[in-house]
């Protein structure tokens, strides 16, 4: 399998190069040159396959020959070692709980897969790799945890001081080892600007062998297909599901659409967005216009210029009518988000986090127009990570993984919000 750049289709690299580079030289994103078709027999007998076998079968065509099968088997089993239950909320809507991993967010899957791939590729390189990542909360925790203890890879996470939740800060700052947390006296935008400047600085970038770990990296993006197959294994109805994906950078949704083009049965996809409505607006008007991000309760989706949207267009050969047939978009307000959490907790005794609530509200609107259909939403984070008790009155249970963090010592390095400070730190 080779990958081309969405900016330049003559660029062709294998999975190893695409993973190590992250982004093609000259911009754009890497995209698989063909979409593998899963054998009909595989899909019909899905129930008989183990989680490991499914993950291997889905990922193998994308890896090609750059890795031995035994290594890929090991990587997938270290990636998906937790559960992915599809839970019935009521007669029409289920929740695919993607928060049973180490940092209680779906990003654990992509981050773990990518960390093991990079660790494997780093073995053949004399110089260690430094993963540099800016986080508004969730990404940094998943990346830090996934790379913790991986040989040959150092992780440096920048986060804005005082602007991540208490749980997220504990996840970022209690690991030590090969993970360093930089607490930046500024905003998430400052952190992102500093990271971009470090990547753009060629001497620095080469000296530290810098790479990024966000969802533009194919090794983080592609494994997100796997759990859509786990949902299909557990889907209780004859009709194919309507799938609602709480979306920010659109990596998760795009992975689902890729799985559907490989043969996964899907009735319709829903782009479930908060007030950041670039994609729902595009789907209703045909005009794609990015906007500055606005802050909402579902803050992991506060993105005005979603980086993976070019991949969705690529999947449909830039054909708007074909895309519109498979994808509907909804923008949900914070008031609707809170209203949904309260309604589903009091009516169905199920507690959603704000991202899942956006997914639920969007799915409910779609299903009200399509009475024969049923669907599920991706519950992308555990409610304890984005506690809404103050607004809803419902306090989430605190899972074990979090209880173990409470009381641990925070270990971070304070940093000024400027590019030079980060450069100085990285050179030392
Ligand atoms: C990252 C994140 C999202 C958005 O996922 P994308 O792939 O960027 O669209 C949604 N919910 C939660 C909890 C997240 O952390």
């Amino acid at each position: 399998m080779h990958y081309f750049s969405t900016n330049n289709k003559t660029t062709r690299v294998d999975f190893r190069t695409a993973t190590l580079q992250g982004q093609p030289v000259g911009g754009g994103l890497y995209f698989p040159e063909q979409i593998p078709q899963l054998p009909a027999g595989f899909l019909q007998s899905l129930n008989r396959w183990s989680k490991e076998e499914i993950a291997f079968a889905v990922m193998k065509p994308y890896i090609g020959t750059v890795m031995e099968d035994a290594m890929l088997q090991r990587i997938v089993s270290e990636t998906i070692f937790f559960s992915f239950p599809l839970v019935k909320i009521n007669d029409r809507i289920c929740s695919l709980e993607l928060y049973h991993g180490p940092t209680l967010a779906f990003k654990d899957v992509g981050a773990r897969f990518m960390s093991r791939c990079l660790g494997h590729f780093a073995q053949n390189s004399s110089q260690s790799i430094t993963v540099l990542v800016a986080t508004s909360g969730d990404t940094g925790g998943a990346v830090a945890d996934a790379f913790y203890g991986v040989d040959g890879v150092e992780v440096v996470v920048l986060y804005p001081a005082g602007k991540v939740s208490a749980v997220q800060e504990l996840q970022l700052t209690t690991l030590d080892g090969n993970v360093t947390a930089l607490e930046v006296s500024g905003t998430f935008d400052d952190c992102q600007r500093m990271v971009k400047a470090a990547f753009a600085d060629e001497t620095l970038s080469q000296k530290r062998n810098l790479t990024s770990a966000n969802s533009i990296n194919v090794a983080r993006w592609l494994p997100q297909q796997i759990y859509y197959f786990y949902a299909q294994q557990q889907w209780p109805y004859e009709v194919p599901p309507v799938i609602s994906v709480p979306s920010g950078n659109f990596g998760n949704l795009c992975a689902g659409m890729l799985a559907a083009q490989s043969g996964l049965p899907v009735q319709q996809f829903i782009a479930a967005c908060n007030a950041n409505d670039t994609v729902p607006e595009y789907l209703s008007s045909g005009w794609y216009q990015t906007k500055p991000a606005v802050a909402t309760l579902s803050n992991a989706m506060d993105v005005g210029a979603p980086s993976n949207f070019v991949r969705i267009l690529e999947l449909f050969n830039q054909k708007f009518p074909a895309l519109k047939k498979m994808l509907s978009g909804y923008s949900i307000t914070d008031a609707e988000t809170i209203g949904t959490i309260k309604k589903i907790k009091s009516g169905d005794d199920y507690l959603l986090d704000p991202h899942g609530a956006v997914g639920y509200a969007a799915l409910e609107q779609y299903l009200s127009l399509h009475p024969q259909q049923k669907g599920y939403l991706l519950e992308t984070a555990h409610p304890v990570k984005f506690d809404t008790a103050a607004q809803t009155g419902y306090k989430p249970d605190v899972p074990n993984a979090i209880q173990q963090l409470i009381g641990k010592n925070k270990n971070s390095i304070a940093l000024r919000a400027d590019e030079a400070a980060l450069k100085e730190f990285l050179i030392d």
Side-chain angles (χ1 to χ4, degrees), residues 105-107 138-139 215 220 224 246-253 300-301 308 353 355 380-381 386:
F106 82 96
K107 291 189 173 77
D138 254 13
T139 302
S215 63
R220 223 190 105 183
Q224 299 179 131
S247 293
N249 263 323
F250 281 78
N252 208 5
L253 177 64
M301 317 198 300
N308 279 288
D353 99 295
H355 305 80
T380 47
F386 301 91

Side-chain angles (χ1 to χ4, degrees), residues 80-95:
I80 46 87
F81 71 98
F82 46 91
S83 63
F84 298 82
L86 184 72
V87 176
K88 214 165 175 171
I89 299 181
N90 51 44
D91 282 348
R92 298 192 71 194
I93 296 184
C94 299
S95 166

